[in-house]
Amino acid sequence: AFRAFPAFDKRLLASCQTLLWQALAAIAARKDSEKLGCVHSSRRNQRIVAALDIIRQRYAEPLSASEVANLCHLSRSRFVHAFKEGTGMHFSGYLARLRLARAKLLLQNGELPIAAVAKETGFTCQGYFTRFFKRQTGQTPGEYRAGRLRHPAP
């Protein structure tokens, strides 16, 4: 006889999403370290690795290159140059990529309103979040969510 799968416990689902997010962050950290050539002996590279950790921990907050540079004990100009050299990306591009990846995960979950997703991922204005998301993905957040809920990614 056919038995339906039991309904997912929301706590279990949230735990799985948290683990997935942590795994993605670990993969991103490893890729970032590879881009830095795994040369952690340089103080500047150590500071960029520290900056990447700060960004991943605080991406949902208003975060500027100046603030991260200050936390890493570098001047803004030195930080921006070292960050670009080490990661191949500008600070703002890296932060935007991280926020977009997290927003996609939250939208796939389907539980939070789009305004809450925007806030949770560091966008202070839902309108700007929607424009940014559409510019990056070709879909509005609502279209992306509807498509993912109808056709979940494997």
Side-chain angles (χ1 to χ4, degrees):
F2 175 77
R3 284 198 302 175
F5 288 106
F8 280 105
D9 179 6
K10 290 193 184 282
R11 288 175 295 177
L12 177 62
L13 185 59
S15 295
C16 289
Q17 288 173 329
T18 300
L19 287 173
L20 177 62
W21 178 244
Q22 290 170 345
L24 289 172
I27 291 168
R30 186 171 50 216
K31 288 189 182 238
D32 293 336
S33 294
E34 289 169 3
K35 287 179 185 174
L36 291 171
C38 291
V39 181
H40 300 297
S41 59
S42 154
R43 285 182 94 174
R44 188 175 359 163
N45 283 347
Q46 288 175 344
R47 289 176 180 167
I48 297 305
V49 169
L52 293 170
D53 288 339
I54 291 166
I55 295 165
R56 279 191 289 276
Q57 291 169 10
R58 297 178 50 189
Y59 70 90
E61 302 171 19
L63 202 55
S64 69
S66 297
E67 183 178 357
V68 176
N70 196 26
L71 291 169
C72 294
H73 309 290
L74 290 169
S75 70
R76 185 191 182 287
S77 61
R78 172 74 71 187
F79 169 74
V80 169
H81 177 75
F83 191 89
K84 170 75 169 135
E85 185 179 284
T87 64
M89 296 183 74
H90 294 284
F91 169 80
S92 59
Y94 182 86
L95 181 59
R97 181 185 78 173
L98 190 60
R99 287 175 171 171
L100 183 65
R102 179 65 173 153
K104 285 179 175 181
L105 283 174
L106 292 173
L107 289 167
Q108 288 173 17
N109 180 12
E111 291 189 14
L112 288 177
I114 292 173
V117 171
K119 185 176 182 182
E120 182 88 17
T121 54
F123 294 90
T124 56
C125 172
Q126 181 184 346
Y128 175 71
F129 168 68
T130 299
R131 286 189 303 277
F132 174 80
F133 194 94
K134 184 165 185 168
R135 195 172 345 125
Q136 297 299 314
T137 65
Q139 299 175 302
T140 65
E143 292 167 343
Y144 180 85
R145 171 181 275 165
R148 292 297 173 168
L149 292 177
R150 269 196 306 272
H151 309 289

